[in-house]
Amino acid sequence: KLCGYLNKLGIKGPIKTWKSRWFFYDENKCHLLYYRTAQDINPLGSIDIASASFDCKVENGEGVFEIRTPSRVFTLKAISKQAMMYWLQQLQMRRWEFCNTQSRFPVGSSQLVNEPVAGRTSRYVVDHEDFLPPVKTPTEAVGLKAASLPAPQTCTALQNISLKHPWTEIQNTVYNICGSKQLWGNNGNVFSFSEFQEHPENPDEEQEAEEGIPEDGRMEPRLNWIRKARWMNSGFPGLPEELSRERNPMDKVTVLQQQILTLTEEVKSQKELVKLLHKALEAAQQEKRVSSMYLTAAEDKDRLELVRHKVRQIADLTSRLEALEQEKKELEQMLTLRDSHIQELKEHVQLLMEKNHAKQEVIMALTEQMARELSDPLQEANTITAETLYKQQEEIQHLKDDIDAYRTQNQFLNSEIHQVTRLWTSVAENEKALLMKCACLQARNCQMESKYLMVLRKLQEAMPGLPSSHAELVRNLIQEALQWNVKEGAEEALSFELTSALCPSSEYDEYGFMTVPDYEVEDWKLLAKIQALEIKSNNLRSQEVVEKPLRDKWNSVGELSPSAELKNLIRSGIPVEHRQRVWRWIVSRHCSHLPDHYQRLLRQSKSTEHAACRQIELDLPRTLTNNKHFSSPTSQLIPRLRRVLLAFSWHNPAIGYCQGLNRLAAIALLVLEDEESAFWCLVHIVENLMPADYYSDTLITSQVDQRVFKDFLSEKLPRLMAHFEQYRIDVSLITFNWFLVVFVDSLVSDILLRVWDAFLYEGTKVIFRYALAIFKYNEEEILRIHDSVEIYQYLRFFTRMIMDGRKLMNIAFNDLNPFPMKLLRNRRSMHREELEAELCELEQIKAAYVKERAEQGP
């Protein structure tokens, strides 16, 4: 039990007083209860240790430490420095055990939550040995024995009484008086801790000298008497009787220890005897073997040889013995010489000591003579010097004590910082698990809402065949659904703080694209709502599982260099914070930025009006209308886009300007932000990535790519192509714009930018991959439609219904393999020849027609 007397600093206005209180730690709630005496049954207040931190300052005095809770700071004082360190260390350990065993979070993902209690306690001790060694228990001030000792006395009797809690004081006093008359019957201590009741803190009285007990927290009188009886019946014997019982076991332990020492010595002697016996046994066995060989010899010659061998051994041993005796004599002579030398040295030392003694006597005589001659002034100086030396020694001793105190304080504060950091880590892990759970629940909620809206949309399509009452009900439900916000009122406001860390939601994304499309057609507004919910659901589900590991990989990428690993990372998508840097690196690898080239083109466009200037002005208001940076004629990016397009028209006079370049330049501006960087990105796309004549007047290469794409569609998705041929669907009417502007205004912004990441690095092959992946993604939906008009209507918006960018990426780069670039170049060459032949034939037919009309005359 962690309990004992401590002085508590009470503050009443300007008055500060120390009051003695009995403190007891409640393991169930991790609260430190305090009473006026150990015999009281109602606590005066409590301290929440689970949310507290501890501090000790040398300036406050010996034994003073602080417990800091979120609402109040408690200043306590122990009777000694050892008692203070014991309390602090024990409170740290109890806080650690409670925070890891009684987890306040319902998620079991943290390792600390699932770890056994014994393992955590042992690990706590091991981790803290480096900071602060375990403090021995001061039994005179802490523990159950301290309850039997008298409470520390204060200056006056009233000083220790809590005037803030008169009812509790009267109740405890009455119980103590009645209990001492009726139930005690002896001087033994009857204190028991099992029936203590903690009273919650009153927040309104936290600034007072003591913490009060709310009225609803007081115990009923009858309940108090029952607990008082249990409290007194469960007491323990008095201290003298307990000490008398402890003497006999100590004597027994001493006797047993002496017996152990005696037996240990006897075992050592027995071991030495066994060694001697082993040696004697080996010698006897050797003699026995020799005698056996002598007796078993068959002839006298063999026996004679054995005898001779024995004689040789005896002679050898005799010579060795003589050598050893000679060595012994030499050593004895050396020892004699050394003894004589030592004796001479002793005599010399004796002479030196006598001389030294004589010199000391002379020095003493001279010193006394000088002291007599110098008289009183020197004696005063010597006295002052002695006093100064004493003061310095005393000051040095105080400084040493201060150093020890600061060293102890530093060790404890290191221990406190270490434990608080680990507790914070544990809380952060639990919070992260809660965020993940909240995100999953929100994603599931978005999916349910999306399914509900899909049902409403199906009913909306079937409304012409419904009765009027049912149709009215469906219209009302659709109207209510359209009034929902993606981030709804009170419930979403509660969870916004949690989910904002994982998936912040806004009306616009990082580049200014609308997260919920604003369709003008009334029937499509419900579709936009479904789209927004699907996007939010996918973001919530993939944020921690996919996006965070991908972002960590990008954070570890240093200097960029072409590699297979970088290619796979770019295909997975570049995070927002890295996209600008990677795009600049890709463009700079293929385009040599000529100094002052862009500024020169701007000056030329100002001095001379280009022929494409009028068409550029017409296309500017129609550029990325779903982006807030281009939606208004007064947007800041509109003039910058105009300058980029005019500069490009002068840079490449063969093309000048083609519809679609405005969208390519707008995307480059949104990501790269700098005008000149966006200009060179546009140059890289048109002149390096796209084939020649892709944006010429005839758009001949664009038409070639549409024929190549139809070939790939027949090979990769034969069922879908057969379906299109059956209903005479020309997919180039849909896909031509995909290729011309690289899916701008066709895909949602998040997927669009991932397509652009791979497109800028790998080239036009990425466009074919993603175009095929889009049809593969929606293949089953298209095959279920059996009307050409409905198919065309579906193909108008079906790209906007693709919400899972990861799934689309896997289809494009995994399911559609192999996709060799050599095959793409061959197909382009073949179809270009065919298209040029057809165009030549058309020109001939046109010329013949014109000639025939001219011959016929008017």
Side-chain angles (χ1 to χ4, degrees):
K1 295 291 184 180
L2 179 60
C3 54
Y5 279 105
L6 292 172
N7 288 328
K8 178 176 175 294
L9 183 62
I11 303 174
K12 184 71 173 179
I15 302 175
K16 299 181 180 180
T17 57
W18 289 102
K19 295 187 178 182
S20 176
R21 294 288 180 260
W22 173 262
F23 284 83
F24 166 70
Y25 175 74
D26 184 1
E27 297 178 353
N28 295 328
K29 297 184 178 180
C30 195
H31 280 204
L32 191 64
L33 310 177
Y34 55 91
Y35 305 75
R36 188 167 63 87
T37 64
Q39 288 73 31
D40 291 347
I41 194 168
N42 289 335
L44 298 175
S46 64
I47 305 173
D48 185 7
I49 301 300
S51 60
S53 62
F54 312 112
D55 189 14
C56 64
K57 298 179 180 178
V58 178
E59 303 83 31
N60 294 340
E62 183 179 358
V64 179
F65 61 97
E66 294 178 350
I67 302 178
R68 299 176 179 271
T69 64
S71 57
R72 185 181 172 187
V73 177
F74 294 86
T75 305
L76 307 177
K77 183 177 182 181
I79 62 173
S80 64
K81 178 181 175 182
Q82 181 188 4
M84 176 192 73
M85 296 309 300
Y86 176 80
W87 273 99
L88 288 172
Q89 199 172 64
Q90 289 295 316
L91 289 174
Q92 274 188 336
M93 187 172 66
R94 306 301 171 92
R95 178 185 63 187
W96 176 260
E97 293 176 356
F98 180 82
C99 289
N100 288 280
T101 55
Q102 304 291 333
S103 177
R104 289 163 291 180
F105 300 100
V107 183
S109 62
S110 175
Q111 180 183 358
L112 294 173
V113 175
N114 298 329
E115 195 174 328
V117 178
R120 283 194 299 271
T121 306
S122 62
R123 190 175 68 180
Y124 168 84
V125 174
V126 172
D127 289 345
H128 283 67
E129 284 180 355
D130 295 337
F131 297 105
L132 193 65
V135 181
K136 293 183 179 179
T137 306
T139 54
E140 73 281 359
V142 179
L144 296 176
K145 291 181 181 179
S148 62
L149 301 177
Q153 298 296 323
T154 54
C155 298
T156 62
L158 293 176
Q159 184 176 345
N160 202 41
I161 295 177
S162 177
L163 300 178
K164 190 64 182 176
H165 313 93
W167 172 248
T168 305
E169 289 284 359
I170 295 171
Q171 209 172 20
N172 288 333
T173 304
V174 171
Y175 291 158
N176 290 335
I177 294 173
C178 296
S180 62
K181 290 182 179 180
Q182 298 178 12
L183 297 174
W184 284 14
N186 53 39
N187 294 329
N189 190 337
V190 292
F191 188 81
S192 174
F193 301 97
S194 60
E195 298 298 330
F196 274 26
Q197 177 184 1
E198 178 194 350
H199 289 252
E201 296 183 3
N202 191 347
D204 298 332
E205 299 178 1
E206 286 175 351
Q207 304 300 324
E208 301 299 334
E210 303 284 354
E211 290 194 25
I213 302 174
E215 294 182 1
D216 56 353
R218 297 172 180 166
M219 296 184 293
E220 294 291 335
R222 183 173 180 181
L223 177 61
N224 284 339
W225 281 108
I226 295 173
R227 293 193 173 186
K228 184 68 178 181
R230 293 179 184 172
W231 175 65
M232 294 181 174
N233 290 333
S234 61
F236 52 85
L239 182 61
E241 182 181 352
E242 186 174 293
L243 292 175
S244 65
R245 287 206 311 271
E246 290 181 356
R247 288 197 184 99
N248 291 332
M250 292 299 294
D251 294 340
K252 290 180 181 180
V253 170
T254 305
V255 172
L256 290 174
Q257 289 177 348
Q258 292 176 355
Q259 291 179 0
I260 290 171
L261 293 175
T262 305
L263 291 174
T264 304
E265 294 295 331
E266 186 176 352
V267 168
K268 289 182 179 179
S269 61
Q270 292 295 331
K271 286 182 178 179
E272 294 294 332
L273 179 60
V274 169
K275 289 180 180 178
L276 293 174
L277 291 175
H278 273 298
K279 291 181 179 179
L281 180 60
E282 289 176 0
Q285 287 177 349
Q286 182 68 19
E287 187 68 26
K288 180 181 177 181
R289 283 195 294 272
V290 173
S291 300
S292 299
M293 292 171 63
Y294 179 79
L295 293 174
T296 55
E299 297 179 1
D300 293 339
K301 182 189 284 188
D302 295 335
R303 293 182 180 179
L304 182 59
E305 184 61 31
L306 289 173
V307 170
R308 287 176 181 173
H309 177 69
K310 199 66 176 179
V311 170
R312 285 195 297 270
Q313 286 184 344
I314 292 170
D316 184 40
L317 290 174
T318 303
S319 62
R320 289 176 61 187
L321 181 60
E322 291 175 355
L324 290 173
E325 286 178 353
Q326 183 66 27
E327 186 178 356
K328 178 183 177 184
K329 289 178 181 180
E330 291 176 358
L331 291 173
E332 287 177 351
Q333 291 175 1
M334 290 178 62
L335 181 61
T336 304
L337 291 174
R338 288 187 178 182
D339 288 340
S340 61
H341 183 63
I342 290 171
Q343 186 63 31
E344 291 176 0
L345 291 175
K346 286 183 178 179
E347 292 174 358
H348 184 64
V349 169
Q350 185 65 29
L351 288 174
L352 292 175
M353 290 179 66
E354 290 175 359
K355 288 181 181 180
N356 187 33
H357 182 65
K359 290 179 179 179
Q360 287 181 353
E361 289 180 352
V362 173
I363 291 171
M364 290 296 295
L366 293 174
T367 304
E368 291 176 359
Q369 183 180 355
M370 290 178 63
R372 286 193 300 270
E373 291 176 356
L374 295 175
S375 67
D376 294 339
L378 185 59
Q379 291 180 2
E380 293 178 1
N382 290 337
T383 304
I384 294 172
T385 304
E387 291 178 357
T388 304
L389 181 62
Y390 175 75
K391 289 181 179 178
Q392 289 179 350
Q393 290 177 347
E394 188 177 13
E395 185 177 355
I396 290 172
Q397 188 61 38
H398 287 324
L399 290 175
K400 288 181 178 179
D401 294 340
D402 290 344
I403 289 173
D404 292 338
Y406 279 115
R407 185 181 292 112
T408 304
Q409 178 187 2
N410 184 49
Q411 290 175 345
F412 168 73
L413 291 178
N414 287 337
S415 172
E416 178 71 6
I417 291 170
H418 176 72
Q419 188 186 106
V420 170
T421 302
R422 295 188 62 183
L423 288 173
W424 175 83
T425 304
S426 175
V427 171
E429 290 177 357
N430 284 293
E431 183 179 2
K432 181 180 177 182
L434 279 177
L435 289 173
M436 287 297 300
K437 185 176 181 180
C438 182
C440 292
L441 291 175
Q442 278 205 336
R444 190 177 302 171
N445 182 54
C446 290
Q447 289 178 342
M448 295 299 294
E449 290 184 16
S450 174
K451 292 178 181 178
Y452 171 70
L453 295 179
M454 287 294 291
V455 172
L456 289 181
R457 189 165 183 273
K458 295 293 183 182
L459 291 174
Q460 185 183 34
E461 295 174 355
M463 277 178 59
L466 294 176
S468 58
S469 59
H470 294 176
E472 183 65 25
L473 178 61
V474 171
R475 276 193 292 270
N476 293 336
L477 291 175
I478 292 173
Q479 191 65 28
E480 291 177 3
L482 291 176
Q483 291 175 357
W484 295 347
N485 291 324
V486 177
K487 192 176 78 174
E488 293 186 26
E491 295 181 0
E492 287 287 338
L494 292 175
S495 62
F496 174 72
E497 293 183 359
L498 291 175
T499 56
S500 60
L502 289 175
C503 183
S505 57
S506 174
E507 185 179 357
Y508 298 95
D509 64 6
E510 298 86 352
Y511 296 104
F513 289 99
M514 297 177 63
T515 55
V516 181
D518 187 16
Y519 295 133
E520 297 181 358
V521 181
E522 188 69 24
D523 293 346
W524 285 17
K525 290 185 178 181
L526 196 60
L527 186 63
K529 183 68 179 178
I530 296 172
Q531 176 183 337
L533 289 171
E534 288 291 336
I535 292 174
K536 184 177 180 182
S537 175
N538 287 325
N539 289 340
L540 288 168
R541 294 170 61 187
S542 65
Q543 185 70 25
E544 194 70 16
V545 179
V546 179
E547 299 299 332
K548 189 176 182 300
L550 179 63
R551 187 172 286 105
D552 293 339
K553 289 182 181 179
W554 273 105
N555 290 336
S556 64
V557 174
E559 185 178 355
L560 297 172
S561 60
S563 63
E565 182 181 0
L566 180 63
K567 178 180 176 181
N568 291 330
L569 277 177
I570 292 177
R571 284 181 172 184
S572 299
I574 306 173
V576 176
E577 59 270 22
H578 295 281
R579 180 168 282 132
Q580 186 179 108
R581 175 174 71 100
V582 177
W583 281 27
R584 289 179 188 271
W585 173 77
I586 293 173
V587 173
S588 64
R589 285 182 62 235
H590 299 89
C591 292
S592 56
H593 291 206
L594 301 175
D596 201 38
H597 180 65
Y598 179 70
Q599 298 300 328
R600 183 173 57 81
L601 293 174
L602 289 183
R603 290 193 293 270
Q604 185 176 359
S605 64
K606 289 181 180 179
S607 61
T608 306
E609 183 176 348
H610 196 278
C613 183
R614 185 172 178 273
Q615 186 60 46
I616 291 174
E617 292 298 328
L618 290 175
D619 287 346
L620 286 176
R622 295 179 287 191
T623 304
L624 301 185
T625 55
N626 62 336
N627 189 289
K628 65 179 181 180
H629 299 299
F630 295 98
S631 58
S632 171
T634 59
S635 300
Q636 294 181 355
L637 291 187
I638 293 291
R640 297 165 68 181
L641 178 61
R642 179 187 294 109
R643 289 193 290 270
V644 171
L645 294 175
L646 287 173
F648 180 82
S649 64
W650 285 107
H651 170 79
N652 194 331
I655 296 176
Y657 175 75
C658 174
Q659 287 185 331
L661 295 181
N662 59 324
R663 299 178 188 179
L664 300 178
I667 296 295
L669 264 177
L670 288 175
V671 176
L672 299 175
E673 298 179 357
D674 178 57
E675 282 184 39
E676 187 171 359
S677 299
F679 165 76
W680 287 111
C681 182
L682 182 62
V683 171
H684 172 56
I685 294 172
V686 176
E687 298 181 0
N688 297 330
L689 297 180
M690 293 299 191
D693 299 330
Y694 215 86
Y695 297 99
S696 64
D697 294 337
T698 59
L699 298 175
I700 184 170
T701 313
S702 301
Q703 298 179 54
V704 168
D705 274 359
Q706 294 306 306
R707 298 191 178 194
V708 174
F709 177 70
K710 289 180 181 179
D711 288 351
F712 285 140
L713 193 63
S714 300
E715 295 173 6
K716 302 290 184 181
L717 303 172
R719 292 172 56 223
L720 185 63
M721 192 61 187
H723 188 72
F724 286 153
E725 291 175 353
Q726 179 182 355
Y727 293 97
R728 298 180 180 180
I729 303 296
D730 185 4
V731 293
S732 62
L733 297 176
I734 305 297
T735 60
F736 185 84
N737 197 49
W738 295 359
F739 283 72
L740 196 65
V741 297
V742 195
F743 299 103
V744 177
D745 287 336
S746 295
L747 295 172
V748 294
S749 59
D750 181 53
I751 300 176
L752 172 67
L753 291 171
R754 291 182 185 178
V755 174
W756 271 63
D757 294 337
F759 164 68
L760 290 176
Y761 188 74
E762 299 183 49
T764 53
K765 184 171 68 171
V766 173
I767 303 178
F768 285 92
R769 282 184 176 274
Y770 270 101
L772 291 170
I774 290 171
F775 282 107
K776 177 69 174 177
Y777 190 99
N778 297 275
E779 181 179 15
E780 298 301 325
E781 291 289 335
I782 298 173
L783 291 175
R784 282 196 287 267
I785 303 175
H786 300 285
D787 181 76
S788 58
V789 176
E790 291 185 7
I791 292 176
Y792 274 119
Q793 288 179 347
Y794 181 78
L795 295 180
R796 284 178 59 196
F797 67 85
F798 81 118
T799 55
R800 285 285 178 176
M801 294 303 296
I802 298 175
M803 306 304 163
D804 194 345
R806 294 291 162 189
K807 179 181 176 182
L808 186 67
M809 182 196 70
N810 288 329
I811 295 173
F813 294 109
N814 296 325
D815 297 353
L816 296 178
N817 284 334
F819 205 95
M821 191 65 187
K822 183 179 180 181
L823 177 62
L824 177 60
R825 286 195 292 266
N826 294 336
R827 293 284 178 87
R828 276 176 168 168
S829 300
M830 179 185 68
H831 284 290
R832 187 181 181 91
E833 292 176 0
E834 293 178 357
L835 184 59
E836 288 177 348
E838 291 176 4
L839 291 175
C840 183
E841 185 179 352
L842 286 175
E843 287 293 333
Q844 292 175 0
I845 294 173
K846 180 180 178 181
Y849 176 75
V850 171
K851 182 178 180 181
E852 182 181 353
R853 292 281 297 179
E855 290 177 353
Q856 290 179 357

